[in-house]
Amino acid sequence: EIVLTQSPGTLSLSPGERATLSCRASQSVDRNYLAWYQQNPGQAPRLLIYGASNRATGIPDRFSGSGSGTDFTLTISRLEPEDFAVYYCQHLGTFGQGTKLEIK
Amino acid sequence: QVNLMESGGGVVQPGRSLRLSCVPSGFTFSSHVMHWVRQIPGKGLEWLAVIWYDGSSKDYGDSVKGRFTISRDNARNTLYLQMNSLRVEDTAVYYCARAGYCLGVKCFIFDSWGQGTLVTVSS
């Protein structure tokens, strides 16, 4: 069973800064099945990235994904106030535990 | 506009059953693989079950296998999750999710989610 470990658990940054979130798989995975989701409090998750690097419909280009094998990264180039949320990576039926992005 | 609306949540005693429903709108239901995902309040996401377009194939996460059953009625435009032998640890918000992208036979990219329905298992 594949385990996805996200780091850091919490990331404290200011608007305008760059955010780098990591997702590490316990074994090599097919990048085609690696996705990232954003979840705001009290809301359902929203798909950001699929296939490791493809932005979903309507997702701003400040969001980008990269990686392969066991290491994947979600980058937010310039943080906007609405980007402070929890982010999850996912591979098939497995989710990471999440990274909380909070305002510093 | 794609929308998914779950219902059927509530408070139930351990060992009892509950059936959740999910009604889609804004897209052709029968053209999409569908899933159930849950989230314990304040915790992460857990995938539960998937059902193929016509209901011919289903799969489950280990924690619910043998207790939960996913089904769909394309004529009634409804997705279901039958939950039996409920446990305290099944307390969570339950989401239905649409698989928007399929790669081969694997349809695990969730491009639309409902707002969720809360199930509380307590005596």
Side-chain angles (χ1 to χ4, degrees):
Chain A
E1 179 186 339
I2 292 173
V3 175
L4 300 177
T5 301
Q6 293 186 238
S7 61
T10 301
L11 183 58
S12 299
L13 294 170
S14 300
E17 290 192 294
R18 181 185 186 90
T20 303
L21 287 66
S22 173
C23 175
R24 177 162 289 177
S26 57
Q27 58 187 276
S28 183
V29 301
D30 186 337
R31 71 189 308 271
N32 288 312
Y33 302 117
L34 197 287
W36 290 91
Y37 299 84
Q38 176 194 64
Q39 187 177 34
N40 285 296
Q43 296 186 19
R46 176 175 71 144
L47 176 66
L48 296 176
I49 300 286
Y50 65 97
S53 60
N54 302 295
R55 276 189 299 278
T57 302
I59 301 303
D61 61 6
R62 65 179 181 274
F63 290 91
S64 63
S66 63
S68 63
T70 60
D71 292 306
F72 298 88
T73 300
L74 175 70
T75 301
I76 311 172
S77 58
R78 296 172 309 278
L79 286 166
E80 298 286 344
E82 61 268 28
D83 298 338
F84 292 92
V86 179
Y87 292 83
Y88 295 94
C89 61
Q90 174 229 353
H91 176 263
L92 297 176
T94 300
F95 288 92
Q97 84 280 17
T99 288
K100 182 180 181 181
L101 179 56
E102 66 176 23
I103 298 177
K104 186 174 181 180
Chain B
Q1 181 184 353
V2 173
N3 191 51
L4 297 167
M5 180 68 69
E6 302 94 339
S7 62
V11 181
V12 61
Q13 293 179 327
R16 303 297 291 266
S17 299
L18 203 61
R19 188 177 80 161
L20 305 183
S21 299
C22 169
V23 176
S25 59
F27 67 98
T28 303
F29 179 56
S30 59
S31 296
H32 286 267
V33 171
M34 297 295 296
H35 296 257
W36 287 98
V37 177
R38 71 182 177 186
Q39 184 171 36
I40 295 171
K43 303 296 183 182
L45 300 165
E46 180 186 13
W47 173 77
L48 298 179
V50 58
I51 186 166
W52 208 240
Y53 308 88
D54 58 358
S56 60
S57 180
K58 307 172 187 181
D59 196 13
Y60 299 90
D62 290 341
S63 65
V64 303
K65 199 171 293 186
R67 298 190 300 126
F68 289 12
T69 302
I70 188 172
S71 63
R72 66 192 297 164
D73 186 337
N74 287 343
R76 296 178 184 271
N77 235 36
T78 306
L79 175 73
Y80 301 101
L81 185 68
Q82 177 68 42
M83 305 186 294
N84 297 332
S85 304
L86 282 162
R87 305 167 180 167
V88 171
E89 54 266 34
D90 293 321
T91 294
V93 174
Y94 286 73
Y95 296 101
C96 62
R98 184 183 83 165
Y101 306 92
C102 293
L103 294 166
V105 296
K106 297 187 178 179
C107 302
F108 276 81
I109 303 299
F110 310 134
D111 72 337
S112 295
W113 299 65
Q115 280 306 300
T117 186
L118 176 62
V119 173
T120 302
V121 184
S122 173
S123 54

